[in-house]
Amino acid sequence: MIFIFDFFQPHHSHGTSNFKNSNPKLNLQLSNLDFAYPNGTRALNDVSLEIRAGSRIAVIGQNGAGKTTLVKHLNGLLKPTRGDVLIGDWNTREHSIAQLARRVGFVFQNPDDQLFKTSVREEIAFGPTNLQVAAGELEARVARALELCGLQNVRDTHPYDLQLWQRRWVTIASVVAMQTPIVVLDEPTTGQDAFGLQRLADLLEQWEREHVTVIAVTHDLDFAVEQFPELLVMAQGQVIARGDARVLNDESVLKRAGLDAPQLVRLANALGWADAPVNVRAFVAHLAQSKNTD
Amino acid sequence: MNQSFYLDRASGWHALHPLTKIAVAFALSVTAFCVRWDFISVALFVFVVIPFAVWGNIWRPVLRATFTVILPLAVSLALIQGFFFPGAQDVLFQIGPFALKREGLEFAFVTGTRLMLIAGAGLLVVYATHPADLALALVQAGAPYPLAYIIVTAIQLLPEMQARADGILKAQQARGLETTGSLRVRVSALLPLLAPLVYGALENVQERALALDARAFRAPRAKTSWRVLRDTLAQRALRWLLVMFSILLIVASVFVPLFIR
Amino acid sequence: MSSLAVEQLGFQYVQAKSDALRGITFEVPSSSITAIVGANGAGKSTLCYALAGFIPHFFKGNMRGAVRVNGMDSKQTPLAQLVTQVGLAFQNPFNQISGAKLTVSEEIAFGLENLGVPRAEMETRIARALELFGLEQVAHQSPYALSGGQQQRLALASIFVMEPPVMVLDEPTSQLDPQGTREVMAAIQTLAAQGRTIVLVEHKLEWIAELATRVLVLHHGELVAQGAPREILQCADEWGLNETRYARAARMARERGLVAKDVLLPQTLEQATNFFRV
Ligand SMILES: Nc1ncnc2c1ncn2[C@@H]1O[C@H](COP(=O)(O)OP(=O)(O)OP(=O)(O)O)[C@@H](O)[C@H]1O
Ligand SMILES: Nc1ncnc2c1ncn2[C@@H]1O[C@H](COP(=O)(O)OP(=O)(O)OP(=O)(O)O)[C@@H](O)[C@H]1O
Ligand SMILES: [Mg+2]
Ligand SMILES: [Mg+2]
């Protein structure tokens, strides 16, 4: 069932300040969602979905499947052509993007669609300032976001003077600082080196501790199965599968969604193992076991 | 987001050579300026622009855009000229110390309708002309290749700016900035929009230059074109007629007092 | 014969405090696939710019050493001429649109128009590019109304269609789905087999191990290793590269004494299967 805590509603004025203690449970509910772009492209076709508060979901699927279109519905950037999107008790049709920003932080696929301030610090402070965070806490939040995203050294740099991968981290940091109960990331893994991916994994862990709901679009399946207990597979405007890494054992799902199985799954199959380990540690444990039984 | 004015419709008006369409718009504008009759612009708009727009299946956007540009202008023209037209005598009515005068209103009417005609004629061309076709027509008419590109991208500038502004607004809203609602809210949202818009445009110039170079834009070769322009003898003749007509009208308006305003 | 020769290349961007590249020397033989790897900020894109002549002709700064493209010194040759020899697909797929075109097909045609390719030939080349990059369905859509991956496909198609003898691809698959990545890699392989020279910046090491002739490793602006993929990628973790899961698993298994110490870490599925089977 859906838990409804409309703690951000203006008439609960006492609720806004003690966000940390109220620990909101905002489930997401998408029902019979259709979406067509103004030029007539039908990008979503009857998508129904429930995402429980605190979930950590990776959205995967082929180019043009509708992943970006889907997640843009979660903070009202796009409004359904048909159907409804509920963020807790809020229907996105009835709330402005700015209101929804209190509940959902959104990191764009293209960092340049998101950055508009003249320094990294200001960029990060922009969101919390709009959410009327007090000055003292604002600085603390900015400092924390800078640290979590490894941006301390470029605090005062103009975002346009940074490299693409750093700009991506600025966009992530500016959402970290908003401390929303739901975070949506559109392709955060793109172009990241090993340190970047590790940092991202750490951040996901941090969000997990804070019971933040995380929905991330990614093409990096190896990362997805390691870091996300739940996968959502999209193809041609529809969700064609949902579940843990085992959904990728279905050959037809992979084919329809333009996916290759993760490396360890392919390897386990090639070795003739019955089930596929989701990470390197599990793989090696399985290997050790099979060596012992030999 | 739509990044161009062009509306792709299968119409006879669309199929005309870009220069023919431009010649029509030019002749219309010249006529409105040279003929001494207060209602000439209105007449041309009603009996030429609108029928052409209907023919091109673009009458809705042409009318909408014309009036969103012209109405505020017309109102301010009417107020300013109506009350403050120099040397006007004929008072229509008095509000406190201010008198609304006929000559001023007439002047505002003629100027306003002229602007309406020019806007309508211009939109008739840009809504129905593929920018690449325009560039090609210009090059075939002897314009240098880079100049044609610049003209075409300049025409796209407005819708592109609009798209970028929309993108920035969306990004700001997604971080909690309220930009819709009361007038006060919307006006106060304009300022934080301006700086990134200008900065982004500058940044864009650099990126464009890079993209163009990578696509051999400056390669010293004879250029070809993917799109094909259709021109006919009749259209060429029509263009000549329209240009001759416009020149005659201009000359006439200088020498024959009947035409001058 | 080598298509590209780089000698003691160094570069410092105008406002940068330190060098982005230092003392880089290597050659790229024709019809080979050379992969460039390195952590974020290692200098991969900067090297790409230099290979394609955008350094020194577009990005200003202090350039040392030389880059020779099919024998021509890039400093002495105008960019307009270099781009017909070396095609560069930029890292950021979102800003490579010409701005003058309204559909995907027209956008792909743009480069051909500039090269003066006759229209009849354009038609077949564009059709082939649309097919190769899976863009047929959006051929008549605006270049601005595309998904991220479709934009990257378009950017690549626009360069591929120009058929330059040397192609430098800066992270060409960053936005692509796995199937799209496989298609692009297959296309690269075909082109190399036909005699084209490819330089490829890529984070997906499995693909590099599958198809690169040679790998160059950049680290803090310096060329720290070059050679055959499997050997070079042994210390991928030390350079901040995203090791394959195969290599990671093999390393961990080695540390736990489950496999022999002296075998090279596997980088491809085939290598891994052999590695773990024994
Ligand atoms: N602004 C737009 N206008 C019209 N059509 C669009 C627009 N943006 C995307 N589309 C179309 O909608 C479909 C879904 O696009 P979407 O961006 O949601 O895909 P995606 O799953 O995020 O793909 P990718 O992995 O490439 O980012 C595609 O066919 C695309 O061409
Ligand atoms: N236009 C520029 N002006 C100034 N410095 C730059 C510019 N472009 C890159 N740099 C700097 O040069 C160095 C190398 O950057 P480069 O973009 O070549 O790295 P990269 O290996 O391509 O990284 P990534 O994996 O993020 O693409 C970095 O320190 C970067 O900050
Ligand atoms: Mg997307
Ligand atoms: Mg780079």
Side-chain angles (χ1 to χ4, degrees), chain B residues 6-251:
Chain B
Y6 176 64
L7 298 170
D8 191 10
R9 308 273 152 91
S11 83
W13 171 246
H14 278 66
L16 290 182
H17 192 276
L19 295 183
T20 310
K21 286 178 265 190
I22 291 176
V24 169
F26 179 70
L28 281 171
S29 309
V30 167
T31 313
F33 268 93
C34 292
V35 173
R36 186 183 181 145
W37 178 43
D38 286 353
F39 295 97
I40 182 71
S41 300
V42 176
L44 288 175
F45 194 86
V46 171
F47 294 111
V48 184
V49 172
I50 292 181
F52 274 56
V54 170
W55 182 29
N57 193 12
I58 48 172
W59 61 274
R60 241 181 245 275
V62 165
L63 289 185
R64 197 187 310 121
T66 307
F67 290 115
T68 32
V69 175
I70 293 308
L71 269 184
L73 255 169
V75 171
S76 53
L77 259 176
L79 288 178
I80 294 170
Q81 301 298 345
F83 286 107
F84 306 114
F85 191 67
Q89 307 283 321
D90 193 354
V91 175
L92 294 177
F93 62 83
Q94 192 92 21
I95 313 167
F98 302 111
L100 188 70
K101 305 196 188 82
R102 191 181 50 81
E103 292 92 330
L105 276 189
E106 276 174 12
F107 179 81
F109 175 79
V110 171
T111 315
T113 52
R114 263 185 200 161
L115 290 176
M116 171 182 81
L117 181 80
I118 293 171
L123 289 166
L124 209 49
V125 177
V126 291
Y127 277 141
T129 307
H130 191 298
D133 290 351
L134 179 56
L136 184 56
L138 292 173
V139 169
Q140 284 175 356
Y145 191 68
L147 181 70
Y149 176 84
I150 290 170
I151 291 177
V152 165
T153 44
I155 294 177
Q156 317 242 89
L157 208 60
L158 209 62
E160 240 172 69
M161 278 293 224
Q162 209 173 349
R164 194 163 322 116
D166 190 64
I168 296 169
L169 273 180
K170 284 272 164 60
Q172 294 180 335
Q173 290 169 339
R175 297 240 295 285
L177 183 70
E178 196 60 75
T179 58
T180 52
S182 72
L183 191 64
R184 198 183 60 82
V185 170
R186 274 184 288 167
V187 169
S188 64
L190 277 180
L191 205 62
L193 183 63
L194 227 53
L197 202 55
V198 172
Y199 202 91
L202 292 179
E203 191 70 17
N204 201 35
V205 171
Q206 156 115 350
E207 283 169 356
R208 273 286 159 76
L210 203 56
L212 289 185
D213 271 333
R215 306 281 283 287
F217 182 67
R218 292 190 291 169
R221 309 251 180 114
K223 313 294 182 190
T224 49
S225 170
W226 167 238
R227 291 184 64 92
V228 191
L229 277 190
R230 239 169 271 291
D231 203 1
T232 56
L233 201 63
Q235 283 195 58
R236 230 168 287 160
L238 177 65
R239 288 206 293 273
W240 270 112
L241 278 177
L242 286 168
V243 171
M244 293 312 286
F245 168 77
S246 304
I247 292 172
L248 275 178
L249 211 55
I250 294 170
V251 172

Side-chain angles (χ1 to χ4, degrees), chain A residues 170-198:
Chain A
V170 178
T171 63
I172 296 173
S174 60
V175 165
V176 166
M178 290 171 73
Q179 296 190 355
T180 48
I182 300 165
V183 171
V184 176
L185 305 137
D186 199 353
E187 310 234 6
T189 51
T190 310
Q192 300 285 349
D193 62 12
F195 304 120
L197 289 183
Q198 185 54 50

Side-chain angles (χ1 to χ4, degrees), chain A residues 39 62-64 109-110 112 165 190-194 197 219 222-223 226 258 260 263 266-267 270 280 284 291, chain C residues 39-40 92 94 147-149 153 174-179 182 203 206 240-242 244-246 249 258 277-278:
Chain A
N39 70 355
Q62 72 200 150
N63 292 133
Q109 183 166 3
N110 178 2
D112 299 339
W165 65 278
T190 310
Q192 300 285 349
D193 62 12
L197 289 183
H219 286 300
D222 300 304
F223 186 83
E226 280 170 7
D260 284 341
Q263 291 175 356
R266 277 183 277 152
L267 180 54
V280 171
V284 175
K291 294 256 162 175
Chain C
N40 290 141
N92 188 345
F94 300 116
S147 80
R153 287 160 187 256
S174 58
Q175 304 283 340
L176 295 194
D177 58 41
Q179 192 182 312
R182 187 155 4 99
H203 283 297
E206 185 180 7
L241 308 180
N242 270 315
T244 60
R245 299 310 190 267
Y246 312 132
L258 296 169
R277 191 166 272 155
V278 289

Side-chain angles (χ1 to χ4, degrees), chain A residues 36-44 61-70 72 109 186-187 217 219 234 237, chain B residues 1, chain C residues 137-138 141 144-151 153 175-177:
Chain A
Y37 282 98
N39 70 355
T41 307
R42 283 199 63 166
L44 294 177
Q62 72 200 150
N63 292 133
K67 302 181 296 296
T68 297
T69 310
L70 179 76
K72 277 188 173 171
Q109 183 166 3
D186 199 353
E187 310 234 6
V217 179
H219 286 300
M234 291 193 69
Chain B
M1 196 66 225
Chain C
Q137 283 187 11
V138 292
Q141 217 154 298
Y144 294 95
L146 296 178
S147 80
Q150 288 165 343
Q151 284 188 44
R153 287 160 187 256
Q175 304 283 340
L176 295 194
D177 58 41

Side-chain angles (χ1 to χ4, degrees), chain C residues 50-64:
Chain C
L51 293 178
F54 285 85
I55 288 174
H57 295 295
F58 194 95
F59 293 97
K60 300 301 170 200
N62 173 17
M63 176 180 168
R64 286 144 288 148

